[in-house]
Amino acid sequence: MKYKFIGLFIAVLCSCTAFAQITVKGTVKDKSALPIPGANIILKGTGTSVSTDYDGKYAIVVPNKEAQLQFSFIGFTTKTITVGDRTALDVVLEQVGQNLDEVVVVGYATVKKKDVTTSISSIKGKELQTMTVGNATESLQGKVAGVQITGAGGPGAQPRVLIRGISTVNLSTDPLYVVDGIPMGTNINFLSNNEIESMDVLKDASASAIYGSRASNGVILITTKKGKIGKPRFNVDLSSGFQLMDNPYNMADAESYANIINKAYTNAGYAEYLTNPEQYRGKTTNWWDAGIKKASEVRNTSIGVSGGSEKNTYAVSLNYYKSDSFYKIGGWDRITARIANDFKFSDKISLGITLNPRFETWGSPGNWADFDKIDPITPIYKPADQLNGTENEYSIYARSPSYVWNPVASVARYDDYTDQYSLNANSYLQYEPIKGLVFRTQGSIEVGDKTQSIFRPDFVIDAAHEKAEINSVERRNTTNHDWTWQTTATYSKSFAEKHNASLMVGATMEEYNGNDVWAYGEGVPNNSDLMREVNAATKNRNSGGNSWSSSLLSYISRLSYNYGSKYYLTGTFRRDGSSKFMANNKWANFPSASASWRISNEGFMENTKDVINDLRVRAGWGKVGNQNLPASVYQSNIGQGYYVIGNEVVDTSYPSSMANKDIKWETVEDINFGLDFGLWKNKVSGSIEYYEKTTKDMLFLKQFPTYSGFPGYSTIWTNVGSMKSNGIDLILSYKDKKGDFSYGADFTFTTVNVEMVALSIDGEKLYGSSNRTLTVEGEVPGYYYGYVADGLFQNQTELNAHTDEHGTKLQPYAQAGDIRFKDVNGDGKLDDKDRTKIGSPWADFTMGLNLNFAYKGFDLVANFYASVGNELINQNIADLYNGASLTNKVSGLENMAWHGEGTSNYVPRLSKNDNNENFTKFSSLYVEDGSFVRMKNIQVGYTFLNQFGLDKLRVSLSGQNLWTWTNYTGVDPEVGGGVLGSGFGGWNYPVQPTILMGVNVGF
């Protein structure tokens, strides 16, 4: 009887509990009474959550009338409402005006966007994810004013990123990437687009000075996705497609090739090289189809789950990215995972841990130019009558008389792959003992291992020219173990109603350690896969290794103040000590200051509120540094070599690099003025900024002077001078909504002007790219330096007129149809003194246009990018138009090249002998306009909400790099390179058009 009573009591209790539950229904809309599909409704204090359907409707069960519901959606202000006695609850969310209440990362802190006084551009991860790319920065192209991104083709290739131009001439120009507060170097290939919540680009020194010695090229702060309170939410993001590769040139077929080569021979006074060209009709070897794929696969897969309660939130993701090369072999595979857990133990203490393991493997042949350059007459394989049955699998290929190695054979022999494993662990502990005072300590550890394995098989295609009589194997292993630790204390206080201040002080420590070992051997018994090990080598074994370490200790501080959200002041100070410098120059100070005035908050602007919603001016100044040097530049190093004395080879040692104990920090000083505005309820918004920065004491690796007595190939790091750059950044945005139709456009515009102000010695010249670029005072760094090609000699009269004052020909070997090189200095001689500036690789301005449209479930985005005013070097001209070699030529060259007076003033005559050095002299012949406009991305999608048992299902079709307009005749106008060798295009791996299908599922 007792147990029956207890059972009855429990049943009644459960029944009462069930009756106590309340189902709340309603609709979530915006201020225009339009429904907001996908809005999130969370039962506060629990993991229970729902989302609105396409009509903005929702239904959620709450335990009682004291329950609180939290309504949120991206771009709208979050609302928290107590249920009370209501079972019907309609909610109107207000859109965030110009996103001013959004939080941006500013370095060791976050602030509201409206309170930022420095030059920072922010972009949400959602905007980045419209593109499928291996490196997330590619998605930034054209979307952030002041950031110039040059795409890099090839699996795993890293794009060049310049923030407001260049600030150094001999070191890396890449910005510093900081992921979740931890500096991660200058390459984020390890990070998937799908893991990024936001990117904040610190463009001026007043913003980046807090990062001191790492920030001279700018800083990009990346915040990864974290868990949010609510039930577990799963997200699956799939995109798959193909990169397309067409031959960039229309190459001659076998018969045309024979005619072109014969013409070159007869023009030089020789007999025809290939008799009876008609015999080759229809017998063209299609090298391109034999070795290059028309389409190569690209795939991106991301699976994630996130959720949690007020005490613990979590986010776990697994990502896979695959990009095949356009050869039959090779590519890049990357697997990354991210596990983030955030714990809130109380209102005062919180802790977070993130683990990021990753694995990458890559490798790809690099000889795709040879598929166009090799002659079309030679077959791929040797004829059967030339084989004796003793050849190995790599010796059955035919040799070309053009001396271009058989490209199909080269790809078959290729075995050079790299595997890289790494694990990054990042954790923080935050304590707020009293309101406004926050202590935070954060540490990170990364360990990595990279192994490159190379095997070169033995083969004999031609005993004199194309062979490797002994095989070889090589293994290189590099490991790293790095750690960082930073501790800050921040106190924020508002007083007397309008005064708001914040002070942050802290210290950071960083240490980077690594070592590498390598081993080499020859004479592996056979070329089988199982034998490709160093231990299998029987001859000439060799090995070596090295280790390195560097560290950085820094003290940081920031003081921020604003009065009445109208007047803002911010100052930062960082003191860095680097192990890369000696005691006298080890420490450097990097201060900054910025101020802004929000004019729109003044009383006299009250009558303009209907038009001007936001208006402010700001200014900033700061210093940042650069210490991106090898770890031990203050040490002298000994190199190893050999010298032949008589019949004996003697091992030698020589000073390969010399110490410079006086070397000091490279510093960049920056000023910035900006105007930000929002008009007509922030439908129109934007900013315009002027910046100017000066780099001093630039770090440069120079050759040691030969008069010193040291070998000419000895080098020394030194500080060489100063450089100045300035320009304008502009961004304009328009956003509006009419009924179910919303649309927007963003336009970015950036100018950069760079000048070398001073070098260490008056009149000093810095050469680059095999003396084809020059850097001198008063000019842009790394400009093209060569002869001026002043058209072609059209007749004997023009040849006779090109003389000195005594009638001596300046080009005695020239004939009609050859290039006329200009006597620039007018001294009656054509020599090295006539080399001059013939172009610049630096664009006058870059632009981006980003469009977006949405109607009900449909959406469309389109992104365009343009670079205008730069020149590029098309090195392919020497291959495609030069009759002096037996390589293949462009189709129709016999008619394009000069073949009589007036037939051409650009392409020189065909000749087996290049006595006039038409192609061997570096001249303006190779310089072309590098301006281009490219459609970076166009994507159309449709989203189903709360259908098929899913919260969200989106399908999309996109095309990347589908269309490019340019006058450049090289392979691809996006050409990078170092500062002293930028813009040299040729057979560079192009940025390829890509077609992708995408599916995004949320449940």
Side-chain angles (χ1 to χ4, degrees), residues 15-28:
S15 177
C16 292
T17 303
F19 281 116
Q21 290 181 332
I22 304 169
T23 298
V24 179
K25 298 181 179 180
T27 304
V28 180

Side-chain angles (χ1 to χ4, degrees), residues 72-393:
S72 64
F73 189 68
I74 297 173
F76 290 79
T77 303
T78 298
K79 277 189 176 182
T80 302
I81 300 175
T82 302
V83 172
D85 294 324
R86 292 169 290 188
T87 57
L89 183 56
D90 295 331
V91 176
V92 176
L93 295 182
E94 295 186 5
Q95 196 163 7
V96 178
Q98 201 190 348
N99 297 327
L100 292 181
D101 287 332
E102 288 185 4
V103 170
V104 298
V105 183
V106 295
Y108 305 101
T110 57
V111 299
K112 288 186 177 181
K113 192 171 184 178
K114 67 180 182 181
D115 295 334
V116 173
T117 60
T118 54
S119 183
I120 298 178
S121 291
S122 300
I123 188 167
K124 296 301 180 185
K126 184 178 180 181
E127 298 177 60
L128 303 176
Q129 290 157 22
T130 58
M131 291 188 68
T132 298
V133 292
N135 188 298
T137 52
E138 290 185 57
S139 301
L140 283 178
Q141 192 177 55
K143 296 178 181 178
V144 179
V147 179
Q148 179 185 352
I149 297 174
T150 303
Q158 179 184 3
R160 184 180 70 178
V161 180
L162 300 178
I163 297 180
R164 288 183 169 173
I166 56 175
S167 58
T168 188
V169 294
N170 199 47
L171 301 179
S172 169
T173 57
D174 294 313
L176 170 68
Y177 294 94
V178 179
V179 180
D180 291 333
I182 299 298
M184 297 297 290
T186 58
N187 188 341
I188 57 166
N189 268 6
F190 64 87
L191 192 62
S192 168
N193 267 19
N194 295 308
E195 295 175 337
I196 296 175
E197 182 71 29
S198 65
M199 277 189 176
D200 297 280
V201 183
L202 312 187
K203 296 187 289 187
D204 67 348
S206 62
S208 59
I210 196 70
Y211 287 101
S213 65
R214 311 284 297 279
S216 62
N217 297 320
V219 180
I220 297 180
L221 307 179
I222 298 174
T223 302
T224 61
K225 294 179 179 178
K226 304 294 184 183
K228 297 179 180 178
I229 298 174
K231 69 178 183 181
R233 292 185 173 273
F234 291 86
N235 190 79
V236 179
D237 204 325
L238 308 172
S239 59
S240 183
F242 294 94
Q243 295 176 323
L244 308 177
M245 183 62 183
D246 287 329
N247 195 329
Y249 297 110
N250 181 20
M251 303 301 292
D253 61 20
E255 183 180 5
S256 297
Y257 169 79
N259 286 323
I260 293 170
I261 297 301
N262 285 343
K263 187 71 173 178
Y265 269 71
T266 57
N267 283 348
Y270 302 110
E272 287 187 346
Y273 179 74
L274 297 167
T275 58
N276 188 20
E278 291 80 7
Q279 68 175 304
Y280 301 108
R281 187 172 299 166
K283 297 180 180 179
T284 301
T285 301
N286 195 330
W287 292 98
W288 188 268
D289 283 354
I292 303 297
K293 295 187 295 186
K294 295 184 182 297
S296 52
E297 184 182 9
V298 59
R299 182 186 302 167
N300 191 38
T301 303
S302 178
I303 302 172
V305 58
S306 63
S309 63
E310 289 186 341
K311 297 295 184 182
N312 169 230
T313 57
Y314 58 89
V316 180
S317 65
L318 178 64
N319 306 276
Y320 174 63
Y321 182 85
K322 174 185 176 66
S323 177
D324 287 344
S325 78
F326 53 54
Y327 300 93
K328 305 295 185 182
I329 61 173
W332 178 40
D333 286 74
R334 181 190 66 197
I335 300 174
T336 65
R338 183 166 290 268
I339 305 167
N341 249 297
D342 292 273
F343 302 91
K344 189 173 183 181
F345 299 113
S346 68
D347 291 338
K348 298 180 180 297
I349 302 176
S350 58
L351 178 145
I353 301 173
T354 301
L355 295 177
N356 180 204
R358 64 183 185 268
F359 166 73
E360 299 176 67
T361 181
W362 67 88
S364 179
N367 67 325
W368 76 277
D370 294 344
F371 288 90
D372 268 347
K373 291 197 294 183
I374 193 168
D375 73 83
I377 293 175
T378 300
I380 296 173
Y381 299 96
K382 292 177 180 177
D385 59 2
Q386 295 182 17
L387 299 174
N388 56 30
T390 63
E391 297 88 356
N392 67 14
E393 61 183 303

